[in-house]
Amino acid sequence: MDKELNWLQQLSEAPGVSGFEGPVKQLLRDRLAAVAVAEVSYDQLGSILFTKQGQDAHPRVMLASHMDEIGFLVKHVTKEGFLKFTTLGGWWEQVMLGQRVTVHSQKGVFPGVIGSKPPHILSPEERKKVVEKKDMYIDVGAADEKEVLERFGITPGDVVTPYSPFTVMGNDKYLLGKAWDNRIGCAVMVRVLEELCGHPNTVIGAATVQEEVGLRGAQTSVKVAAPDVAFVIDTCVAGDTPGVTPDVAASKLGAGVAITFFDASLIPHTALRDFVIETAQEEKIPYQLSFSEGGGTDGGRIHMHEIGVPTLVISLPTRYIHSHQSMIHRDDYEAAVRLMTAVLGKLDAAQLAKLLAR
């Protein structure tokens, strides 16, 4: 496995559900320690910001990528030793049952599986219904409540992460793993900061917390960053699977970085959008246009900071988002890095003033 794949594996497999992003933050801090940053700063929710000074103090450009993944919290331990849980982030019941998880307690990490009543004992009517989250539980292989509490040290409030080992598929451009939403955005942000040189602006790479539960880290970290312009690097639904048409989800794996022209939380600054598209065309970077009618990103909070921040979302098409495992394409990752590096190399104060005057 090459060095870059090893880094992506570390990011994907690191536990970091909403509100518990510490391991991911440490990976980013360790990786960027070698980058010449002027400052490492934090908001008081846990987001971390890496500032790389350019030739000028302005424009201040924010690159925001959220660290958190969807997951679970233990809320009750039954007398029989099963865990009842609540969800963190948007889960669809049909992708949960029978999936493995990892429960994190003060005494260690413990494997578990999400279960419910088996179909063999359901009535014909019950079999037709989707099992609701409230009727599911996590089985950690314990004899009873005492073993869970005393031997495993699992208590209400403990965090549970999906379990999915990083896997390179038969076509080695396709990468399977958990938490691509949005660890791959974090990976793009890191690469851009590493590769920037001679840029005209001040770039703030912000790894935000709690995006999946309400864009919370975006709202607090943007106050620390105080940007003149912002790019959010996230994932979008890939529409290249059976049953999905381009009018529902237009982006495809391997077709390039996706430039988002609409989502449920943000209508992007149109001149900024056009500038990025023109840059992709000039640099011959593969790109596609995407939209999301049913979801938003950190841009939903960032663009409304103070008097407004021109903001655009750059996305990586991803299959099976918000499940235990999802799939991305390495070429899209490389295209995203190239595009953001090229854009930041051109976005000086004069160029930004021209965009804002449109």
Side-chain angles (χ1 to χ4, degrees):
M1 184 181 295
D2 64 50
K3 183 178 180 181
E4 193 63 21
L5 279 180
N6 183 64
W7 166 240
L8 294 178
Q9 177 176 2
Q10 291 180 61
L11 281 177
S12 172
E13 293 184 347
V17 302
S18 302
F20 299 85
E21 299 91 348
V24 185
K25 185 193 304 185
Q26 188 62 52
L27 281 175
L28 298 177
R29 187 190 293 116
D30 291 346
R31 171 81 180 237
L32 287 172
V35 176
V37 294
E39 179 183 7
V40 176
S41 54
Y42 306 85
D43 67 17
Q44 293 189 42
L45 287 190
S47 304
I48 184 168
L49 297 89
F50 303 92
T51 300
K52 188 169 186 179
Q53 186 67 48
Q55 296 165 0
D56 298 300
H58 291 274
R60 293 175 60 85
V61 185
M62 183 179 189
L63 300 182
S65 301
H66 71 88
M67 295 183 285
D68 58 318
E69 62 184 300
I70 58 172
F72 315 95
L73 278 180
V74 176
K75 67 176 184 180
H76 175 68
V77 181
T78 71
K79 292 181 179 179
E80 298 78 17
F82 298 101
L83 313 181
K84 299 294 287 185
F85 60 87
T86 190
T87 55
L88 292 172
W91 280 98
W92 184 39
E93 283 91 343
Q94 288 195 192
V95 302
M96 295 169 59
L97 274 180
Q99 297 291 335
R100 288 182 59 175
V101 295
T102 302
V103 184
H104 304 260
S105 82
Q106 291 185 347
K107 292 191 175 182
V109 295
F110 299 90
V113 61
I114 298 176
S116 70
K117 288 166 53 176
H120 308 75
I121 59 174
L122 298 178
S123 68
E125 292 75 21
E126 287 177 316
R127 292 185 191 182
K128 297 176 184 178
K129 299 178 181 178
V130 175
V131 178
E132 296 184 44
K133 301 182 193 76
K134 66 180 180 63
D135 296 320
M136 299 180 190
Y137 54 82
I138 295 171
D139 187 344
V140 291
D144 51 28
E145 178 185 15
K146 182 178 180 181
E147 185 169 37
V148 170
L149 296 174
E150 296 182 6
R151 182 180 173 191
F152 298 169
I154 299 172
T155 61
D158 283 341
V159 67
V160 182
T161 55
Y163 175 81
S164 175
F166 173 85
T167 304
V168 178
M169 305 298 286
N171 178 336
D172 61 10
K173 295 292 183 73
Y174 291 79
L175 307 177
L176 186 71
K178 76 170 183 66
W180 287 137
D181 180 12
N182 181 40
R183 304 294 165 68
I184 194 61
C186 294
V188 171
M189 181 265 287
V190 165
R191 280 274 304 278
V192 171
L193 287 177
E194 288 176 334
E195 295 185 12
L196 278 178
C197 69
H199 56 291
N201 35 43
T202 296
V203 180
I204 306 104
T208 67
V209 297
Q210 299 190 44
E211 190 267 0
E212 298 290 3
V213 292
L215 317 181
R216 298 171 187 175
Q219 186 166 337
T220 51
S221 64
V222 71
K223 295 181 179 180
V224 179
D228 300 306
V229 61
F231 296 96
V232 174
I233 309 168
D234 210 319
T235 57
C236 63
V237 174
D240 55 358
T241 54
V244 183
T245 55
D247 62 309
V248 175
S251 65
K252 304 178 186 301
L253 265 65
V257 57
I259 300 170
T260 304
F261 62 83
F262 171 84
D263 68 39
S265 68
L266 169 68
I267 300 173
H269 190 279
T270 54
L272 182 63
R273 176 202 65 193
D274 293 345
F275 171 68
V276 172
I277 291 173
E278 291 164 7
T279 300
Q281 293 170 342
E282 292 168 1
E283 301 292 330
K284 295 181 171 48
I285 299 170
Y287 75 95
Q288 48 194 319
L289 300 178
S290 70
F291 58 89
S292 175
E293 296 174 297
T297 68
D298 277 345
R301 293 287 184 271
I302 292 170
H303 82 288
M304 295 189 293
H305 176 63
E306 296 293 353
I307 63 172
V309 179
T311 302
L312 181 68
V313 178
I314 303 298
S315 303
L316 278 84
T318 306
R319 294 177 185 166
Y320 323 120
I321 286 177
H322 281 219
S323 69
H324 276 66
Q325 45 206 350
S326 50
M327 190 182 298
I328 60 170
H329 197 285
R330 189 165 180 177
D331 287 352
D332 301 333
Y333 166 58
E334 297 295 341
V337 173
R338 288 177 58 204
L339 179 59
M340 291 313 308
T341 304
V343 165
L344 293 176
K346 298 180 179 182
L347 192 55
D348 58 13
Q351 181 63 64
L352 181 58
K354 187 186 301 184
L355 296 177
L356 295 179
R358 289 190 192 180

PDB file of all heavy atoms in Angstrom, residues 19-22 24-26 28-29 41-50 67 206-210 216-218 220-221 224:
ATOM      1  N   GLY A  19     -19.209  15.103  18.114  1.00  0.00           N
ATOM      2  CA  GLY A  19     -18.938  15.411  19.507  1.00  0.00           C
ATOM      3  C   GLY A  19     -17.779  14.648  20.099  1.00  0.00           C
ATOM      4  O   GLY A  19     -17.362  14.926  21.229  1.00  0.00           O
ATOM      5  N   PHE A  20     -17.222  13.691  19.337  1.00  0.00           N
ATOM      6  CA  PHE A  20     -16.125  12.850  19.821  1.00  0.00           C
ATOM      7  C   PHE A  20     -15.042  12.733  18.742  1.00  0.00           C
ATOM      8  O   PHE A  20     -14.553  11.649  18.438  1.00  0.00           O
ATOM      9  CB  PHE A  20     -16.646  11.460  20.193  1.00  0.00           C
ATOM     10  CG  PHE A  20     -17.683  11.473  21.288  1.00  0.00           C
ATOM     11  CD1 PHE A  20     -19.013  11.697  20.979  1.00  0.00           C
ATOM     12  CD2 PHE A  20     -17.326  11.294  22.618  1.00  0.00           C
ATOM     13  CE1 PHE A  20     -19.989  11.715  21.977  1.00  0.00           C
ATOM     14  CE2 PHE A  20     -18.287  11.312  23.627  1.00  0.00           C
ATOM     15  CZ  PHE A  20     -19.618  11.522  23.307  1.00  0.00           C
ATOM     16  N   GLU A  21     -14.649  13.865  18.176  1.00  0.00           N
ATOM     17  CA  GLU A  21     -13.768  13.881  17.014  1.00  0.00           C
ATOM     18  C   GLU A  21     -12.280  13.878  17.360  1.00  0.00           C
ATOM     19  O   GLU A  21     -11.432  14.003  16.469  1.00  0.00           O
ATOM     20  CB  GLU A  21     -14.071  15.121  16.153  1.00  0.00           C
ATOM     21  CG  GLU A  21     -15.478  15.189  15.603  1.00  0.00           C
ATOM     22  CD  GLU A  21     -16.458  15.933  16.509  1.00  0.00           C
ATOM     23  OE1 GLU A  21     -16.083  16.197  17.686  1.00  0.00           O
ATOM     24  OE2 GLU A  21     -17.575  16.234  16.066  1.00  0.00           O
ATOM     25  N   GLY A  22     -11.929  13.715  18.633  1.00  0.00           N
ATOM     26  CA  GLY A  22     -10.555  13.839  19.089  1.00  0.00           C
ATOM     27  C   GLY A  22      -9.522  13.032  18.306  1.00  0.00           C
ATOM     28  O   GLY A  22      -8.466  13.565  17.934  1.00  0.00           O
ATOM     29  N   VAL A  24      -9.477  12.017  15.245  1.00  0.00           N
ATOM     30  CA  VAL A  24      -9.289  12.580  13.902  1.00  0.00           C
ATOM     31  C   VAL A  24      -8.489  13.873  14.000  1.00  0.00           C
ATOM     32  O   VAL A  24      -7.567  14.123  13.217  1.00  0.00           O
ATOM     33  CB  VAL A  24     -10.641  12.838  13.218  1.00  0.00           C
ATOM     34  CG1 VAL A  24     -10.422  13.305  11.778  1.00  0.00           C
ATOM     35  CG2 VAL A  24     -11.511  11.596  13.241  1.00  0.00           C
ATOM     36  N   LYS A  25      -8.821  14.683  14.967  1.00  0.00           N
ATOM     37  CA  LYS A  25      -8.107  15.942  15.175  1.00  0.00           C
ATOM     38  C   LYS A  25      -6.622  15.683  15.420  1.00  0.00           C
ATOM     39  O   LYS A  25      -5.766  16.395  14.895  1.00  0.00           O
ATOM     40  CB  LYS A  25      -8.701  16.699  16.361  1.00  0.00           C
ATOM     41  CG  LYS A  25      -8.111  18.088  16.584  1.00  0.00           C
ATOM     42  CD  LYS A  25      -8.505  18.669  17.936  1.00  0.00           C
ATOM     43  CE  LYS A  25      -9.987  18.726  18.132  1.00  0.00           C
ATOM     44  NZ  LYS A  25     -10.357  19.396  19.410  1.00  0.00           N
ATOM     45  N   GLN A  26      -6.303  14.633  16.182  1.00  0.00           N
ATOM     46  CA  GLN A  26      -4.911  14.323  16.469  1.00  0.00           C
ATOM     47  C   GLN A  26      -4.169  13.896  15.205  1.00  0.00           C
ATOM     48  O   GLN A  26      -3.013  14.278  14.989  1.00  0.00           O
ATOM     49  CB  GLN A  26      -4.812  13.223  17.526  1.00  0.00           C
ATOM     50  CG  GLN A  26      -3.389  12.972  18.019  1.00  0.00           C
ATOM     51  CD  GLN A  26      -2.784  14.190  18.695  1.00  0.00           C
ATOM     52  OE1 GLN A  26      -3.376  14.778  19.592  1.00  0.00           O
ATOM     53  NE2 GLN A  26      -1.601  14.599  18.238  1.00  0.00           N
ATOM     54  N   LEU A  28      -4.808  14.875  12.147  1.00  0.00           N
ATOM     55  CA  LEU A  28      -4.589  16.069  11.341  1.00  0.00           C
ATOM     56  C   LEU A  28      -3.478  16.935  11.935  1.00  0.00           C
ATOM     57  O   LEU A  28      -2.622  17.452  11.213  1.00  0.00           O
ATOM     58  CB  LEU A  28      -5.883  16.877  11.236  1.00  0.00           C
ATOM     59  CG  LEU A  28      -7.062  16.179  10.550  1.00  0.00           C
ATOM     60  CD1 LEU A  28      -8.301  17.064  10.591  1.00  0.00           C
ATOM     61  CD2 LEU A  28      -6.732  15.810   9.118  1.00  0.00           C
ATOM     62  N   ARG A  29      -3.502  17.066  13.251  1.00  0.00           N
ATOM     63  CA  ARG A  29      -2.470  17.867  13.925  1.00  0.00           C
ATOM     64  C   ARG A  29      -1.080  17.269  13.684  1.00  0.00           C
ATOM     65  O   ARG A  29      -0.123  17.983  13.380  1.00  0.00           O
ATOM     66  CB  ARG A  29      -2.773  17.946  15.424  1.00  0.00           C
ATOM     67  CG  ARG A  29      -1.849  18.896  16.191  1.00  0.00           C
ATOM     68  CD  ARG A  29      -2.041  18.754  17.676  1.00  0.00           C
ATOM     69  NE  ARG A  29      -3.338  19.204  18.137  1.00  0.00           N
ATOM     70  CZ  ARG A  29      -4.268  18.429  18.692  1.00  0.00           C
ATOM     71  NH1 ARG A  29      -4.041  17.139  18.849  1.00  0.00           N
ATOM     72  NH2 ARG A  29      -5.415  18.930  19.102  1.00  0.00           N
ATOM     73  N   SER A  41      -5.101  27.139  15.794  1.00  0.00           N
ATOM     74  CA  SER A  41      -6.074  27.711  16.723  1.00  0.00           C
ATOM     75  C   SER A  41      -7.299  26.807  16.815  1.00  0.00           C
ATOM     76  O   SER A  41      -7.442  25.840  16.049  1.00  0.00           O
ATOM     77  CB  SER A  41      -6.473  29.129  16.274  1.00  0.00           C
ATOM     78  OG  SER A  41      -6.928  29.123  14.930  1.00  0.00           O
ATOM     79  N   TYR A  42      -8.165  27.135  17.742  1.00  0.00           N
ATOM     80  CA  TYR A  42      -9.319  26.283  18.025  1.00  0.00           C
ATOM     81  C   TYR A  42     -10.535  27.155  18.311  1.00  0.00           C
ATOM     82  O   TYR A  42     -10.415  28.295  18.756  1.00  0.00           O
ATOM     83  CB  TYR A  42      -9.062  25.400  19.253  1.00  0.00           C
ATOM     84  CG  TYR A  42      -7.806  24.579  19.181  1.00  0.00           C
ATOM     85  CD1 TYR A  42      -6.577  25.115  19.575  1.00  0.00           C
ATOM     86  CD2 TYR A  42      -7.837  23.268  18.724  1.00  0.00           C
ATOM     87  CE1 TYR A  42      -5.418  24.361  19.510  1.00  0.00           C
ATOM     88  CE2 TYR A  42      -6.678  22.505  18.663  1.00  0.00           C
ATOM     89  CZ  TYR A  42      -5.472  23.057  19.061  1.00  0.00           C
ATOM     90  OH  TYR A  42      -4.315  22.310  18.990  1.00  0.00           O
ATOM     91  N   ASP A  43     -11.709  26.601  18.064  1.00  0.00           N
ATOM     92  CA  ASP A  43     -12.899  27.192  18.663  1.00  0.00           C
ATOM     93  C   ASP A  43     -13.193  26.418  19.948  1.00  0.00           C
ATOM     94  O   ASP A  43     -12.483  25.466  20.283  1.00  0.00           O
ATOM     95  CB  ASP A  43     -14.088  27.199  17.691  1.00  0.00           C
ATOM     96  CG  ASP A  43     -14.607  25.800  17.353  1.00  0.00           C
ATOM     97  OD1 ASP A  43     -14.293  24.840  18.083  1.00  0.00           O
ATOM     98  OD2 ASP A  43     -15.337  25.671  16.355  1.00  0.00           O
ATOM     99  N   GLN A  44     -14.212  26.803  20.665  1.00  0.00           N
ATOM    100  CA  GLN A  44     -14.451  26.177  21.962  1.00  0.00           C
ATOM    101  C   GLN A  44     -15.401  24.987  21.886  1.00  0.00           C
ATOM    102  O   GLN A  44     -15.793  24.436  22.921  1.00  0.00           O
ATOM    103  CB  GLN A  44     -14.957  27.229  22.954  1.00  0.00           C
ATOM    104  CG  GLN A  44     -13.873  28.268  23.269  1.00  0.00           C
ATOM    105  CD  GLN A  44     -14.247  29.192  24.403  1.00  0.00           C
ATOM    106  OE1 GLN A  44     -14.800  28.777  25.425  1.00  0.00           O
ATOM    107  NE2 GLN A  44     -13.936  30.467  24.237  1.00  0.00           N
ATOM    108  N   LEU A  45     -15.734  24.540  20.665  1.00  0.00           N
ATOM    109  CA  LEU A  45     -16.478  23.292  20.501  1.00  0.00           C
ATOM    110  C   LEU A  45     -15.558  22.135  20.137  1.00  0.00           C
ATOM    111  O   LEU A  45     -15.955  20.982  20.209  1.00  0.00           O
ATOM    112  CB  LEU A  45     -17.558  23.437  19.422  1.00  0.00           C
ATOM    113  CG  LEU A  45     -18.798  24.257  19.767  1.00  0.00           C
ATOM    114  CD1 LEU A  45     -19.855  24.072  18.676  1.00  0.00           C
ATOM    115  CD2 LEU A  45     -19.385  23.862  21.114  1.00  0.00           C
ATOM    116  N   GLY A  46     -14.330  22.448  19.690  1.00  0.00           N
ATOM    117  CA  GLY A  46     -13.387  21.392  19.341  1.00  0.00           C
ATOM    118  C   GLY A  46     -12.853  21.437  17.933  1.00  0.00           C
ATOM    119  O   GLY A  46     -11.999  20.630  17.568  1.00  0.00           O
ATOM    120  N   SER A  47     -13.335  22.360  17.107  1.00  0.00           N
ATOM    121  CA  SER A  47     -12.775  22.500  15.762  1.00  0.00           C
ATOM    122  C   SER A  47     -11.338  22.984  15.852  1.00  0.00           C
ATOM    123  O   SER A  47     -10.972  23.724  16.769  1.00  0.00           O
ATOM    124  CB  SER A  47     -13.607  23.493  14.946  1.00  0.00           C
ATOM    125  OG  SER A  47     -14.964  23.116  14.893  1.00  0.00           O
ATOM    126  N   ILE A  48     -10.536  22.579  14.868  1.00  0.00           N
ATOM    127  CA  ILE A  48      -9.142  22.999  14.823  1.00  0.00           C
ATOM    128  C   ILE A  48      -8.882  23.713  13.505  1.00  0.00           C
ATOM    129  O   ILE A  48      -9.393  23.310  12.461  1.00  0.00           O
ATOM    130  CB  ILE A  48      -8.188  21.794  15.001  1.00  0.00           C
ATOM    131  CG1 ILE A  48      -6.729  22.262  15.061  1.00  0.00           C
ATOM    132  CG2 ILE A  48      -8.393  20.746  13.921  1.00  0.00           C
ATOM    133  CD1 ILE A  48      -5.763  21.163  15.514  1.00  0.00           C
ATOM    134  N   LEU A  49      -8.106  24.808  13.556  1.00  0.00           N
ATOM    135  CA  LEU A  49      -7.842  25.624  12.381  1.00  0.00           C
ATOM    136  C   LEU A  49      -6.338  25.741  12.169  1.00  0.00           C
ATOM    137  O   LEU A  49      -5.592  26.050  13.106  1.00  0.00           O
ATOM    138  CB  LEU A  49      -8.462  27.016  12.522  1.00  0.00           C
ATOM    139  CG  LEU A  49      -9.997  27.077  12.631  1.00  0.00           C
ATOM    140  CD1 LEU A  49     -10.439  26.965  14.085  1.00  0.00           C
ATOM    141  CD2 LEU A  49     -10.541  28.349  12.010  1.00  0.00           C
ATOM    142  N   PHE A  50      -5.907  25.507  10.931  1.00  0.00           N
ATOM    143  CA  PHE A  50      -4.508  25.601  10.548  1.00  0.00           C
ATOM    144  C   PHE A  50      -4.360  26.780   9.584  1.00  0.00           C
ATOM    145  O   PHE A  50      -4.925  26.753   8.486  1.00  0.00           O
ATOM    146  CB  PHE A  50      -4.048  24.315   9.870  1.00  0.00           C
ATOM    147  CG  PHE A  50      -4.242  23.076  10.697  1.00  0.00           C
ATOM    148  CD1 PHE A  50      -5.408  22.327  10.577  1.00  0.00           C
ATOM    149  CD2 PHE A  50      -3.276  22.660  11.594  1.00  0.00           C
ATOM    150  CE1 PHE A  50      -5.597  21.181  11.334  1.00  0.00           C
ATOM    151  CE2 PHE A  50      -3.450  21.512  12.350  1.00  0.00           C
ATOM    152  CZ  PHE A  50      -4.622  20.770  12.227  1.00  0.00           C
ATOM    153  N   MET A  67     -14.902  16.915  10.499  1.00  0.00           N
ATOM    154  CA  MET A  67     -14.216  15.699  10.944  1.00  0.00           C
ATOM    155  C   MET A  67     -15.179  14.592  11.351  1.00  0.00           C
ATOM    156  O   MET A  67     -14.811  13.413  11.344  1.00  0.00           O
ATOM    157  CB  MET A  67     -13.320  16.015  12.154  1.00  0.00           C
ATOM    158  CG  MET A  67     -12.172  16.935  11.883  1.00  0.00           C
ATOM    159  SD  MET A  67     -11.128  17.172  13.358  1.00  0.00           S
ATOM    160  CE  MET A  67     -12.166  18.276  14.331  1.00  0.00           C
ATOM    161  N   ALA A 206      -9.847  24.610   8.106  1.00  0.00           N
ATOM    162  CA  ALA A 206     -10.654  24.393   9.310  1.00  0.00           C
ATOM    163  C   ALA A 206     -11.242  22.986   9.293  1.00  0.00           C
ATOM    164  O   ALA A 206     -11.995  22.630   8.369  1.00  0.00           O
ATOM    165  CB  ALA A 206     -11.770  25.426   9.388  1.00  0.00           C
ATOM    166  N   ALA A 207     -10.891  22.177  10.277  1.00  0.00           N
ATOM    167  CA  ALA A 207     -11.489  20.864  10.463  1.00  0.00           C
ATOM    168  C   ALA A 207     -12.559  21.017  11.546  1.00  0.00           C
ATOM    169  O   ALA A 207     -12.239  21.213  12.714  1.00  0.00           O
ATOM    170  CB  ALA A 207     -10.431  19.846  10.873  1.00  0.00           C
ATOM    171  N   THR A 208     -13.799  20.952  11.136  1.00  0.00           N
ATOM    172  CA  THR A 208     -14.899  21.319  12.030  1.00  0.00           C
ATOM    173  C   THR A 208     -15.528  20.101  12.701  1.00  0.00           C
ATOM    174  O   THR A 208     -15.398  18.969  12.239  1.00  0.00           O
ATOM    175  CB  THR A 208     -15.984  22.092  11.260  1.00  0.00           C
ATOM    176  OG1 THR A 208     -16.604  21.206  10.303  1.00  0.00           O
ATOM    177  CG2 THR A 208     -15.399  23.287  10.533  1.00  0.00           C
ATOM    178  N   VAL A 209     -16.218  20.366  13.789  1.00  0.00           N
ATOM    179  CA  VAL A 209     -16.902  19.322  14.556  1.00  0.00           C
ATOM    180  C   VAL A 209     -18.415  19.435  14.374  1.00  0.00           C
ATOM    181  O   VAL A 209     -18.924  20.465  13.942  1.00  0.00           O
ATOM    182  CB  VAL A 209     -16.556  19.421  16.059  1.00  0.00           C
ATOM    183  CG1 VAL A 209     -15.085  19.185  16.297  1.00  0.00           C
ATOM    184  CG2 VAL A 209     -16.981  20.769  16.631  1.00  0.00           C
ATOM    185  N   GLN A 210     -19.091  18.346  14.659  1.00  0.00           N
ATOM    186  CA  GLN A 210     -20.545  18.294  14.811  1.00  0.00           C
ATOM    187  C   GLN A 210     -21.325  18.810  13.601  1.00  0.00           C
ATOM    188  O   GLN A 210     -22.414  19.362  13.742  1.00  0.00           O
ATOM    189  CB  GLN A 210     -20.965  19.044  16.079  1.00  0.00           C
ATOM    190  CG  GLN A 210     -20.366  18.453  17.342  1.00  0.00           C
ATOM    191  CD  GLN A 210     -20.960  19.027  18.613  1.00  0.00           C
ATOM    192  OE1 GLN A 210     -22.166  19.181  18.720  1.00  0.00           O
ATOM    193  NE2 GLN A 210     -20.109  19.328  19.586  1.00  0.00           N
ATOM    194  N   ARG A 216     -22.719  22.639  13.599  1.00  0.00           N
ATOM    195  CA  ARG A 216     -22.399  23.438  14.791  1.00  0.00           C
ATOM    196  C   ARG A 216     -20.980  23.980  14.767  1.00  0.00           C
ATOM    197  O   ARG A 216     -20.737  25.134  15.097  1.00  0.00           O
ATOM    198  CB  ARG A 216     -22.646  22.593  16.041  1.00  0.00           C
ATOM    199  CG  ARG A 216     -24.109  22.157  16.180  1.00  0.00           C
ATOM    200  CD  ARG A 216     -24.316  21.151  17.295  1.00  0.00           C
ATOM    201  NE  ARG A 216     -25.685  20.642  17.279  1.00  0.00           N
ATOM    202  CZ  ARG A 216     -26.127  19.672  18.074  1.00  0.00           C
ATOM    203  NH1 ARG A 216     -25.302  19.106  18.959  1.00  0.00           N
ATOM    204  NH2 ARG A 216     -27.375  19.265  18.008  1.00  0.00           N
ATOM    205  N   GLY A 217     -20.008  23.126  14.402  1.00  0.00           N
ATOM    206  CA  GLY A 217     -18.635  23.581  14.369  1.00  0.00           C
ATOM    207  C   GLY A 217     -18.380  24.634  13.316  1.00  0.00           C
ATOM    208  O   GLY A 217     -17.496  25.478  13.463  1.00  0.00           O
ATOM    209  N   ALA A 218     -19.154  24.612  12.241  1.00  0.00           N
ATOM    210  CA  ALA A 218     -19.016  25.643  11.214  1.00  0.00           C
ATOM    211  C   ALA A 218     -19.374  27.011  11.770  1.00  0.00           C
ATOM    212  O   ALA A 218     -18.707  28.012  11.494  1.00  0.00           O
ATOM    213  CB  ALA A 218     -19.910  25.316  10.019  1.00  0.00           C
ATOM    214  N   THR A 220     -19.171  28.102  14.807  1.00  0.00           N
ATOM    215  CA  THR A 220     -18.203  28.629  15.766  1.00  0.00           C
ATOM    216  C   THR A 220     -16.828  28.847  15.142  1.00  0.00           C
ATOM    217  O   THR A 220     -16.154  29.843  15.432  1.00  0.00           O
ATOM    218  CB  THR A 220     -18.081  27.678  16.976  1.00  0.00           C
ATOM    219  OG1 THR A 220     -17.850  26.335  16.507  1.00  0.00           O
ATOM    220  CG2 THR A 220     -19.342  27.701  17.807  1.00  0.00           C
ATOM    221  N   SER A 221     -16.405  27.943  14.250  1.00  0.00           N
ATOM    222  CA  SER A 221     -15.060  28.069  13.678  1.00  0.00           C
ATOM    223  C   SER A 221     -14.951  29.235  12.708  1.00  0.00           C
ATOM    224  O   SER A 221     -13.881  29.833  12.571  1.00  0.00           O
ATOM    225  CB  SER A 221     -14.645  26.772  12.981  1.00  0.00           C
ATOM    226  OG  SER A 221     -15.489  26.488  11.880  1.00  0.00           O
ATOM    227  N   VAL A 224     -13.657  32.250  14.352  1.00  0.00           N
ATOM    228  CA  VAL A 224     -12.210  32.253  14.570  1.00  0.00           C
ATOM    229  C   VAL A 224     -11.491  32.578  13.262  1.00  0.00           C
ATOM    230  O   VAL A 224     -10.542  33.367  13.229  1.00  0.00           O
ATOM    231  CB  VAL A 224     -11.736  30.890  15.112  1.00  0.00           C
ATOM    232  CG1 VAL A 224     -10.224  30.892  15.313  1.00  0.00           C
ATOM    233  CG2 VAL A 224     -12.450  30.558  16.421  1.00  0.00           C
TER     234      VAL A 224
END
